[in-house]
Amino acid sequence: MQNYCRGLIPFIRSNFLLIKADTLTKTAQSCRYLAMDNPAKKICQPKKIGTHNGTFHCDEVLACFMLKQLPQYKDAEIVRTRDKVILDECDIVVDVGGVYDPSKHRYDHHQRTFTSSMNTVRPKKPWATKLSSAGLVYCHFGEDVIAEILGISKDDDKVSALFDKVYENFMEEIDAIDNGISACQDPKYIISTGLSSRVKHLNPSWNSKDQDTEPRFQSAMEVTGSEFIDRIKYYNDCWWPAREIVEEALKNRFNVDPSGEVIEFTQGGCPWKEHLYALEETMKIETPIKYALYTDQNGKYRVQCVSVSSSSFDNRLSLPEKWRGVRDEELSKLSGIPGCIFVHASGFIGGNETRDGALTMARKSLELATK
């Protein structure tokens, strides 16, 4: 019996190895067949992000960082070269290659024929600045990147709002600088501390003995990525909640005053102006808001005029001229409203001890404007 068992052991071992080898061979063949069937997926092979070598710039550094936030590219190797043969093997290529073709994941902007902006690629977007490689990646993958960073669905309403906010206040600057587009015709001074400038200075100096750009490229990705994520999180954690407060105030405006021209915020310090203009349009509010009520840091009440635009000092309806620059009891006697604290000399804001007093200041201003 023992001899019989001893004879079985080599047989079992031999056949187990054959089965195991056969399984591995079939698995490898399956991977090859799948890759041949759909080369774009390159199954069983790590993905590759291609960009140029040598001196790096903010746009391709940030483009690579954004791509690495996506599940399909998070483990991808970044290949830095100008060799066309090597670039052709990459799954996605940014800022090199002379081709812009989203269907092939090629995102260069240096070719003479390239004139694309956010508006031309996505006509519902207003920005007409020529895109850099960062802008191209953001244009095509931005919502996905934001959703991944915040851990929310791409279909969440705020993803679209954050996409626009981040482009206008972060990405567009990078696009413009990389394409040599000045912010104004006659700048009074030079700005050399922006993100693009700081990335530029991470390159090896011309007389440095160490000209290896690879570790410096990684450092640049950390710098750009950190600021990019910080900006998204700021708008998500601070800017977006303010929008919700303003939206609620607009819905409640007729409960504050029958005119619908006065809104009230339950807490002070909320950055409301920018949201107000956007939401008035979105909510199709026909009669523009004239005044906003809120508390200050001392628990007193303010009535603030709404300007004609976010960048204007002109108000839709300023507080009455005869109140301007007058304070305290004198202002209360002049206006006939108890508890007045002040009205600014320009008429854009006033204060009162109570909510009713501030609301009366707004109502009386509306009344006087119709006379």
Side-chain angles (χ1 to χ4, degrees), residues 4-292:
Y4 176 76
C5 290
R6 287 195 193 99
L8 279 175
I9 290 172
F11 175 81
I12 292 170
R13 284 177 177 170
S14 174
N15 281 276
F16 173 76
L17 292 172
L18 284 171
I19 292 168
K20 186 176 181 181
D22 183 58
T23 301
L24 290 171
T25 300
K26 287 180 178 178
T27 301
Q29 287 176 341
S30 297
C31 287
R32 285 198 297 271
Y33 293 149
L34 284 168
M36 290 171 64
D37 182 57
N38 191 348
K41 292 185 178 179
K42 296 188 177 180
I43 297 175
C44 300
Q45 296 180 27
K47 289 188 179 292
K48 294 180 180 180
I49 300 170
T51 190
H52 63 81
N53 57 357
T55 300
F56 51 80
H57 310 94
C58 188
D59 70 317
E60 82 268 14
V61 172
L62 182 55
C64 290
F65 177 84
M66 287 190 287
L67 289 172
K68 293 278 283 182
Q69 307 314 298
L70 300 173
Q72 64 268 40
Y73 296 116
K74 68 182 181 68
D75 297 320
E77 174 189 0
I78 296 177
V79 179
R80 299 182 67 230
T81 182
R82 293 186 184 275
D83 188 322
K84 185 179 183 303
V85 175
I86 297 175
L87 289 172
D88 285 346
E89 296 177 352
C90 293
D91 298 274
I92 186 167
V93 177
V94 298
D95 209 44
V96 69
V99 175
Y100 169 47
D101 186 348
S103 68
K104 297 179 180 178
H105 287 323
R106 294 306 186 256
Y107 301 97
D108 195 12
H109 67 113
H110 293 99
Q111 52 274 30
R112 291 184 63 181
T113 56
F114 183 88
T115 58
S116 298
S117 66
M118 186 68 75
N119 177 255
T120 61
V121 179
R122 302 174 64 167
K124 291 184 178 180
K125 304 298 183 185
W127 304 285
T129 300
K130 183 180 176 182
L131 296 169
S132 67
S133 61
L136 283 170
V137 168
Y138 189 78
C139 181
H140 291 279
F141 298 95
E143 286 96 343
D144 298 281
V145 172
I146 290 170
E148 284 295 327
I149 289 172
L150 296 178
I152 60 178
S153 169
K154 180 182 175 181
D155 298 326
D156 192 308
D157 287 344
K158 69 179 172 182
V159 169
S160 178
L162 292 176
F163 176 92
D164 289 353
K165 187 67 175 174
V166 171
Y167 184 78
E168 186 171 49
N169 292 275
F170 188 84
M171 296 298 306
E172 188 175 23
E173 174 189 331
I174 295 169
D175 285 342
I177 290 173
D178 194 78
N179 285 302
I181 303 170
S182 299
C184 57
Q185 291 183 343
D186 184 24
K188 301 301 181 183
Y189 55 89
I190 296 173
I191 298 175
S192 58
T193 56
L195 182 58
S196 294
S197 294
R198 284 182 281 121
V199 169
K200 175 183 176 182
H201 289 296
L202 288 174
N203 281 283
S205 58
W206 70 270
N207 54 355
S208 173
K209 292 182 180 179
D210 182 9
Q211 291 293 316
D212 185 6
T213 59
E214 292 302 322
R216 291 173 175 268
F217 185 90
Q218 294 299 320
S219 296
M221 280 183 61
E222 292 176 10
V223 170
T224 58
S226 174
E227 294 200 19
F228 178 70
I229 288 177
D230 282 349
R231 192 62 63 94
I232 288 173
K233 289 187 174 179
Y234 169 78
Y235 290 134
N236 179 68
D237 299 341
C238 182
W239 179 79
W240 181 260
R243 185 183 189 278
E244 293 176 328
I245 291 172
V246 177
E247 184 175 8
E248 187 62 30
L250 284 169
K251 291 177 180 177
N252 193 51
R253 66 191 186 279
F254 289 105
N255 294 326
V256 176
D257 185 75
S259 69
E261 297 178 67
V262 183
I263 58 174
E264 180 180 8
F265 300 117
T266 55
Q267 61 188 77
C270 170
W272 54 271
K273 290 185 179 180
E274 179 185 349
H275 293 299
L276 176 65
Y277 303 116
L279 286 168
E280 281 182 326
E281 184 175 345
T282 301
M283 297 171 68
K284 295 180 170 50
I285 294 175
E286 296 181 0
T287 304
I289 305 301
K290 304 300 190 303
Y291 302 110

